[in-house]
Amino acid sequence: MTDEVSLLSTAEAARRLGVKPATLYAYVSRGLLSRVRGADGRTSFFDPAELDSMAQQPRTPVAAAGNGVVVRTAVSEIRDQRLWYRGRDACEMARTESFEAVAGWLWSAGRPMPPFAGPAEFVEAGRAAADALPDGARLLDRIRAIVAAVGAVDPLRADLRPEAVMVTAATLIGALVDGLPRRRERDADAESVAQRLWGVLTSLPAEPTTVASLNTALGLLADHAVTASTLAARVAASARAHPYAAIGAALYSLDGPVESGTTALVHRTLVEAERDGSVAVVARLLDQANQLPGFGHPLYPDGDPRGRTLIDVLAAEPPHRGRWEAVEQFLATGQRGRPLAPTIDFGVAALTFTAGMPADAGLAILAVARCAGWVAHTLEEYAEEPDRFRPSAETQRRSRLRP
């Protein structure tokens, strides 16, 4: 066995690879690099031959390793079966603070934020782009159109200084919410993102207690570590694309079953349960697939804390009491003899269903909320070396078939 004398310390190994110690340990955690524990059980040592072999490989900031890639981030993490935003419990933040405050914490750990409102010309450009789409266009399609339109009319979109990016982000989210077609007139005193988005998604009155559930949903969905859409935003930002382009890249990655989740499916399931009865719908789902949408999350074996948080907020003051009873009946029936816990998808679907929102409202809520996280990751990426996402490619050649 190699002794400690011939091995390199963490600092020496990091210098040899030209990376930070944190990156070195990320390689270790992904199985890309081995280490030897020192006699004290705490110190780590590394084999110089293995380091030299790794250094000769094509350099890339992402390392393929089994089930994913390595991206260093301080924005959020899933630890102890909880979601944390820069070290703070995300569920507690979403339940007690405004979405704007959550976004500000993700962007700058609490520095004062600019107003989440867009200039009139930004809102008008976004509204015109959204209205130009066919009547049957999804909310997500309109959101993409608004982001592109607002980016096109912002003359300062290429200002990538952190303080400028935060102003851009707050302006974009404000213009995005105000540019979407409304189901009820905006109240004169509606200032928060949740209040304004409420009138976009439902014709029910914007009562403080019911809007609180939408605010909580936005906070819970603001970020969830490094998903595919988040990685898309970071790749665009690494090429120094402006924030509108980075968010646009993320929005297109969001459009797929992996990222968009099962909210729309759960919403439609609750509609059927209200009409046909929970027992009949649950029985049919179990017969068809032996599982229920919106229950169980692989990252939270003991239950998705975000789902429980949102359901608890909804239960305190549901937007529509009759529909909420249908939700409770479905939960009770679906959990009979099953320890499965509802996910955030179920919680958001319960919100959209009880509030009389369309089935695709859940994806729209996710898109608006995740803008906060995408911007936070974009800010991190602007602080890194540019164009660092350059994985190596392996050319595959077809073998010629002989007769």
Side-chain angles (χ1 to χ4, degrees):
M1 179 181 293
T2 307
D3 58 24
E4 292 181 10
V5 176
S6 62
L7 299 177
L8 299 180
S9 68
T10 298
E12 292 170 334
R15 283 196 297 270
R16 193 148 182 157
L17 286 181
V19 299
K20 296 178 181 179
T23 304
L24 200 68
Y25 286 116
Y27 293 157
V28 172
S29 67
R30 291 290 184 176
L32 301 174
L33 186 65
S34 59
R35 66 174 171 177
V36 177
R37 294 283 189 181
D40 59 3
R42 297 187 303 272
T43 311
S44 297
F45 295 92
F46 298 84
D47 185 349
E50 186 178 4
L51 293 170
D52 290 342
S53 176
M54 190 174 192
Q56 293 173 6
Q57 298 174 7
R59 299 302 301 275
T60 170
V62 294
N67 62 347
V69 296
V70 177
V71 177
R72 298 189 308 273
T73 179
V75 177
S76 70
E77 65 172 330
I78 301 168
R79 173 171 45 86
D80 301 327
Q81 296 196 51
R82 304 286 294 181
L83 176 62
W84 305 87
Y85 291 161
R86 295 195 183 277
R88 295 182 61 184
D89 189 312
C91 292
E92 182 65 19
M93 287 193 72
R95 190 178 62 82
T96 60
E97 301 188 26
S98 69
F99 169 67
E100 291 87 334
V102 172
W105 178 257
L106 291 176
W107 297 346
S108 66
R111 194 161 36 171
M113 287 292 102
F116 280 59
E121 59 270 26
F122 286 19
V123 175
E124 291 171 3
R127 187 172 295 148
D131 291 344
L133 296 179
D135 291 340
R138 300 170 304 166
L139 286 165
L140 180 61
D141 296 320
R142 299 187 194 280
I143 287 172
R144 289 181 184 142
I146 293 172
V147 171
V150 175
V153 299
D154 184 354
L156 301 179
R157 59 184 175 271
D159 191 343
L160 304 186
R161 294 173 299 155
E163 57 273 21
V165 170
M166 286 185 278
V167 171
T168 296
T171 298
L172 170 60
I173 292 175
L176 173 57
V177 172
D178 293 335
L180 286 167
R182 302 187 62 82
R183 291 175 175 261
R184 61 177 289 121
E185 290 297 321
R186 175 175 170 177
D187 296 334
D189 59 348
E191 296 182 356
S192 72
V193 170
Q195 288 173 318
R196 287 142 58 196
L197 185 59
W198 182 270
V200 168
L201 300 176
T202 178
S203 58
L204 291 181
E207 302 293 343
T209 51
T210 52
V211 172
S213 60
L214 177 56
N215 179 78
T216 299
L218 289 167
L220 292 170
L221 293 170
D223 198 56
H224 200 235
V226 181
T227 64
S229 61
T230 299
L231 182 61
R234 294 193 71 124
V235 171
S238 76
R240 293 306 181 260
H242 55 70
Y244 299 100
I247 291 175
L251 283 169
Y252 277 96
S253 297
L254 190 66
D255 193 1
V258 174
E259 283 279 319
S260 60
T262 60
T263 302
L265 174 59
V266 176
H267 178 108
R268 291 190 290 268
T269 300
L270 291 173
V271 171
E272 294 174 0
E274 182 186 33
R275 183 191 64 217
D276 303 334
S278 294
V279 173
V281 172
V282 169
R284 186 181 73 247
L285 289 170
L286 293 178
D287 284 341
Q288 291 174 346
N290 196 31
Q291 63 181 6
L292 301 177
F295 287 86
H297 195 295
L299 298 181
Y300 303 103
D302 292 341
D304 187 343
R306 301 169 300 163
R308 176 48 57 191
T309 298
L310 183 52
I311 288 172
D312 287 346
V313 172
L314 277 167
E317 195 67 43
H320 188 284
R321 181 63 62 180
R323 294 194 189 110
W324 180 249
E325 291 176 358
V327 173
E328 289 183 319
Q329 290 173 5
F330 186 87
L331 278 171
T333 305
Q335 291 178 312
R336 187 183 65 171
R338 290 166 158 256
L340 293 176
T343 65
I344 185 62
D345 283 357
F346 190 97
V348 173
L351 166 61
T352 59
F353 168 69
T354 56
M357 298 176 184
D360 69 334
L363 186 54
I365 294 170
L366 173 62
V368 172
R370 200 53 61 85
C371 284
W374 293 331
V375 169
H377 286 274
T378 296
L379 283 163
E380 277 192 339
E381 200 57 48
Y382 287 150
E384 297 282 356
E385 290 296 321
D387 197 26
R388 65 193 191 97
F389 287 90
R390 192 177 290 277
S392 58
E394 180 177 328
T395 302
Q396 293 183 340
R397 295 180 176 85
R398 294 182 179 179
S399 59
R400 293 184 178 180
L401 298 179
R402 295 182 179 180

